Amino acid sequence: MAPQISPSILSADFARLAEEIARISGSADWVHVDVMDNHFVPNLTLGLPVVQALLDHSPLPLDCHLMIEDPDRWAPEYAEAGAKSVTIHAEAAKAPIRTLRTIRAAGARAGLGVNPATPVDGFEDLLGEIDMLLLMTVEPGFGGQKFLDVVLPKVRRARELIKGRDLPVWLQVDGGVSAETIERCAGAGADVFVAGSAVYGADDPAEAIRNLRAQAEEATAKANW
Ligand SMILES: O=C(CO)[C@@H](O)[C@H](O)COP(=O)(O)O
């Protein structure tokens, strides 16, 4: 699959979210929405009412990343509201298979996220239940952190597992993705790139996205996964 860019609005101006999405609408593929509950992660951002409001204003599909303690309770509601992708965390879900199936049944892509220290091998049997595997490349909770190179072998391993099963599962990396790190991610097999500060910290977010995409495309072509 051609690389996709999903800018995280965690680094955008929360007082002007609709305008911030408009700034990237001609260049990004998705809008990445970080839902944090101050329990699963030590930060509190936004929830379903804000996502519902954004759905009325976003020309781009919403890629909702639930960093919350009880995704089984909430994930179906994000999908039913109209989010096109909903990711739950493996470390938090108590009934992941049921929740992933409910997300899909509501018409959204189902994502499974894992933190940097969580291995992917334990989840290989779930690959048939998901549309996307999200690998955190920072500890979840905050934007602007340094990319964790230690996760790159896991990105490669995840790509091998997906390829070995010949499944159309997208592989998303999230955290510290920038012009300095995106080539390594794409080379390891990632194909969906979340970037917060690298996009919204730039003078021209659209130009930053175009540059990230060009780098990812070049590295993907070289890696030939
Ligand atoms: O989920 C998270 C953080 O928990 C990410 O989506 C960050 O928001 C990405 O921001 P940058 O690391 O790109 O600044």
Side-chain angles (χ1 to χ4, degrees):
M1 186 190 68
Q4 300 189 52
I5 310 291
S6 186
S8 166
I9 53 168
L10 187 60
S11 298
D13 180 348
F14 267 28
R16 301 165 47 245
L17 285 178
E19 289 162 55
E20 292 284 71
I21 291 174
R23 292 171 83 198
I24 61 161
S25 64
S27 50
D29 300 285
W30 294 86
V31 179
H32 187 83
V33 182
D34 286 313
V35 177
M36 302 183 184
D37 67 351
N38 194 36
H39 291 280
F40 182 67
V41 290
N43 196 5
L44 187 65
T45 55
L46 50 84
L48 189 60
V50 175
V51 166
Q52 284 166 331
L54 291 178
L55 283 163
D56 291 337
H57 292 279
S58 178
L60 291 170
L62 299 192
D63 165 28
C64 290
H65 177 193
L66 306 188
M67 284 163 277
I68 62 176
E69 210 170 61
D70 193 1
D72 305 297
R73 156 75 178 86
W74 290 104
E77 296 211 29
Y78 285 84
E80 282 154 21
K84 290 282 179 268
S85 177
V86 180
T87 296
I88 60 169
H89 262 264
E91 301 86 355
K94 293 184 183 63
I97 294 175
R98 184 176 64 214
T99 303
L100 292 163
R101 287 182 180 179
T102 310
I103 293 169
R104 279 180 159 178
R109 297 178 60 84
L112 184 71
V114 296
N115 286 341
T118 303
V120 285
D121 283 270
F123 298 105
E124 51 198 286
D125 292 338
L126 287 192
L127 289 176
E129 302 286 343
I130 65 177
D131 300 297
M132 185 168 78
L133 183 61
L134 180 162
L135 302 184
M136 288 303 307
T137 41
V138 297
E139 293 294 353
F142 301 94
Q145 300 182 75
K146 192 172 169 339
F147 180 81
L148 293 172
D149 274 288
V150 72
V151 181
L152 281 172
K154 188 167 69 174
V155 179
R156 194 170 284 277
R157 176 70 184 144
R159 174 52 66 197
E160 283 166 1
L161 289 173
I162 292 166
K163 197 176 174 193
R165 281 163 179 71
D166 198 21
L167 289 166
V169 175
W170 297 354
L171 186 55
Q172 184 176 73
V173 283
D174 181 4
V177 175
S178 69
E180 285 69 50
T181 59
I182 196 166
E183 287 176 14
R184 273 175 274 160
C185 295
D191 54 11
V192 187
F193 304 88
V194 176
S197 44
V199 169
Y200 281 106
D203 291 337
D204 183 345
E207 175 69 9
I209 292 166
R210 283 191 289 274
N211 289 338
L212 289 171
R213 189 189 302 283
Q215 284 182 276
E217 281 173 354
E218 200 181 321
T220 300
K222 259 192 221 152
N224 195 25
W225 275 102

